Amino acid sequence: MKITILNDDISLKRQLEQGNEQQLQTVREVIQQVRTEGDAAIKYYSEKWDGFAPENLRVSEQEIIEAVKNFDKQLYFDLQEAADNISLYHNEQKRSGFRLPLADGSYLGQRITPLDAVGLYVPGGSAAYPSSVLMNVIPAQVAGVKRIVITSPAGNDGKLPDAVLVAAHILGVTEIYKVGGAQAIAALAYGTETIAPVDKITGPGNIFVALAKREVFGEVAIDMIAGPSEICILADETAYADEIAADLLSQAEHDALACAVLITTSDDLADAVSDQVEIQLSKLPREAIARKSIENFGHIYVAESMKEAVRAVNSLAPEHLEVITENAEKVSEMITHAGAIFIGRYSSEPVGDYFAGTNHVLPTNSTARFASGLNVDDFIKRTSVVYYSEKTWKQNSPKIARLARLEGLEGHARAVESRGWDKGEEE
């Protein structure tokens, strides 16, 4: 890996592919066809791109039963425990509304209500991502969403991976469709004969999925347009080079565009980690992908002080941050911008990816400066409530009318003044 003295110019903002005109045009055509032709368009594109046109888009109860029956028992219990951990954490995020009493029985308030329906996209095809099911479904369930839909592309055998179906089964989700790509996003946004539309779409996907989510935003809500994975490790001389290298590669193996950065105050650690990365790369099953990531977006920066290193981390605002230093918890308290923070030697980033309970759907490309990871709040609405008694209205209507006229809005002023005092007693 490249080793450089830290300067003020480091950045995670990469010139990433946001979709060329041809890809965008393809996505727009798919969305339009799904809107006009419904299920027929979904089957057409599924066969064209996935090699499989399902006769029935919805996964049957029997398919779920078979997946559970064939699944490894220990892995089932592991997924169940992970789900329990995620539920425990996200239940702490639940919020309730409030009522602020005013004089004479008047009040202001806020009501919290869940979304009616959400669609969760799970990447598929040649790989299985049951963790995506857990991370997207559980906060929606905790929020109280009544209808949760999963879409995922089927493999060449016309089936979804057992692991995805088992994760859904553990959570009690049964509305699952064998639909992937931009056509899945269009179906969730606009509906078809088989798939009823939803209010929000979450979950990662390829460039076509990302572009489709961007296109339908406004018709429905979306979680975010996430970029390739990122990890930044803040470490000093107390860290172990082989462990740091392994953690860097845990994200580099995701994608050739993934970013893995070490910021350290130790020259010796920088050299040792660089050597370890090369040693471990040669033994990694996804070496080709990880090597491209490390060569293009992997870097080691050496800072003169921990204060300088922390300033650099906050400037990067990484998706994942590991703090492996002396007094790691105290150092972590100086971090203001990171999607998720992993403190200490034993809090390796994959702990959060799969099991600890925090959510792994996180802001990328330095957007942690202003964005948060997926959470229960993403699946609720906040509705403000106003109740004025007659007495409170009488006291304040002249003030409100004056403010309305200050802005030149006579209709607003008259609306307040129209409640004449001689129209009877307050109900």
Side-chain angles (χ1 to χ4, degrees):
M1 293 180 72
K2 302 177 285 292
I3 302 177
T4 307
I5 299 298
L6 187 60
N7 59 59
D8 294 332
D9 297 329
I10 64 172
S11 174
L12 285 178
K13 290 187 176 180
R14 292 152 284 164
Q15 295 299 315
L16 303 179
E17 180 184 31
Q18 296 300 315
N20 59 38
E21 280 301 316
Q22 184 175 358
Q23 290 171 322
L24 183 57
Q25 184 59 36
T26 297
V27 165
R28 287 173 175 168
E29 290 174 0
V30 170
I31 292 173
Q32 184 57 36
Q33 279 200 256
V34 171
R35 292 187 71 176
T36 57
E37 300 178 24
D39 288 351
I42 289 178
K43 293 179 179 181
Y44 169 78
Y45 286 115
S46 294
E47 183 164 21
K48 179 178 180 180
W49 288 325
D50 300 330
F52 167 72
E55 182 177 346
N56 297 309
L57 297 179
R58 185 164 178 168
V59 172
S60 68
E61 182 181 358
Q62 186 58 38
E63 287 176 283
I64 297 174
I65 292 172
E66 285 297 320
V68 173
K69 179 180 177 181
N70 296 332
F71 202 65
D72 179 86
K73 292 296 184 289
Q74 183 57 58
L75 282 173
Y76 184 97
F77 294 136
D78 292 341
L79 280 175
Q80 179 66 71
E81 188 172 355
D84 291 342
N85 293 341
I86 297 165
S87 295
L88 180 68
Y89 180 83
H90 286 79
N91 266 291
E92 291 298 314
Q93 298 175 347
K94 288 180 70 173
R95 66 170 75 204
S96 56
F98 63 85
R99 180 179 288 199
L100 176 64
L102 303 175
D104 306 306
S106 300
Y107 65 86
L108 304 178
Q110 184 180 82
R111 293 176 184 168
I112 304 297
T113 53
L115 301 181
D116 287 339
V118 298
L120 312 176
Y121 187 90
V122 178
S126 61
Y129 297 100
S131 62
S132 284
V133 176
L134 302 184
M135 294 294 178
N136 284 272
V137 169
I138 290 173
Q141 289 181 327
V142 171
V145 177
K146 294 295 188 293
R147 177 174 172 249
I148 298 175
V149 184
I150 293 175
T151 66
S152 188
N156 293 330
D157 59 357
K159 297 180 179 180
L160 297 188
D162 286 351
V164 168
L165 296 182
V166 169
H169 170 77
I170 287 172
L171 301 178
V173 178
T174 59
E175 190 176 351
I176 308 168
Y177 298 98
K178 304 173 187 178
V179 186
Q183 60 269 31
I185 304 303
L188 291 171
Y190 299 105
T192 71
E193 300 93 323
T194 301
I195 305 173
V198 300
D199 301 310
K200 185 165 188 173
I201 302 171
T202 72
N206 61 21
I207 185 63
F208 293 99
V209 170
L211 289 173
K213 286 171 69 176
R214 192 173 71 183
E215 285 295 301
V216 301
F217 175 66
E219 184 71 31
V220 293
I222 63 172
D223 51 352
M224 64 185 77
I225 305 295
S229 186
E230 304 160 355
I231 186 170
C232 177
I233 301 177
L234 176 59
D236 61 14
E237 68 281 356
T238 64
Y240 292 86
D242 59 333
E243 296 172 1
I244 300 296
D247 289 356
L248 292 171
L249 292 176
S250 75
Q251 299 308 296
E253 73 172 353
H254 268 299
D255 192 314
L257 293 173
C259 185
V261 172
L262 167 64
I263 299 177
T264 180
T265 53
S266 170
D267 288 304
D268 290 341
L269 181 67
D271 291 333
V273 168
S274 181
D275 292 340
Q276 274 293 319
V277 165
E278 186 56 41
I279 291 170
Q280 294 183 32
L281 260 176
S282 63
K283 302 174 183 178
L284 199 65
R286 294 170 67 89
E287 177 188 356
I289 292 172
R291 186 173 293 280
K292 286 183 179 179
S293 166
I294 293 298
E295 289 175 351
N296 294 325
F297 302 110
H299 222 108
I300 298 173
Y301 295 101
V302 180
E304 291 186 359
S305 66
M306 186 56 65
K307 183 177 180 180
E308 181 185 44
V310 167
R311 187 168 61 247
V313 170
N314 283 327
S315 176
L316 290 175
E319 177 188 17
H320 307 102
L321 171 68
E322 291 185 5
V323 181
I324 307 177
T325 65
E326 189 175 9
N327 300 319
E329 189 162 2
K330 184 176 180 180
V331 171
S332 75
E333 291 172 357
M334 296 186 283
I335 303 301
T336 55
H337 302 312
I341 302 175
F342 302 82
I343 303 171
R345 178 184 177 189
Y346 300 105
S347 303
S348 177
E349 189 278 336
V351 171
D353 268 353
Y354 296 106
F355 196 75
T358 54
N359 207 290
H360 74 200
V361 182
L362 300 166
T364 61
N365 208 26
S366 293
T367 59
R369 292 179 295 107
F370 54 81
S372 306
L374 194 69
N375 60 82
V376 172
D377 281 355
D378 287 305
F379 299 98
I380 64 170
K381 299 177 297 177
R382 304 169 193 84
T383 304
S384 56
V385 178
V386 177
Y387 172 72
Y388 261 23
S389 68
E390 181 181 6
K391 184 174 181 180
T392 301
W393 166 77
K394 286 180 178 179
Q395 290 174 340
N396 293 294
S397 58
K399 307 167 192 175
I400 298 167
R402 285 194 295 270
L403 291 173
R405 291 188 173 106
L406 175 65
E407 295 189 349
L409 297 174
E410 181 64 26
H412 283 60
R414 293 180 183 180
V416 175
E417 294 172 337
S418 69
R419 277 118 177 102
W421 298 353
D422 58 351
K423 291 185 178 180
E425 294 298 318
E426 180 186 12
E427 294 182 358

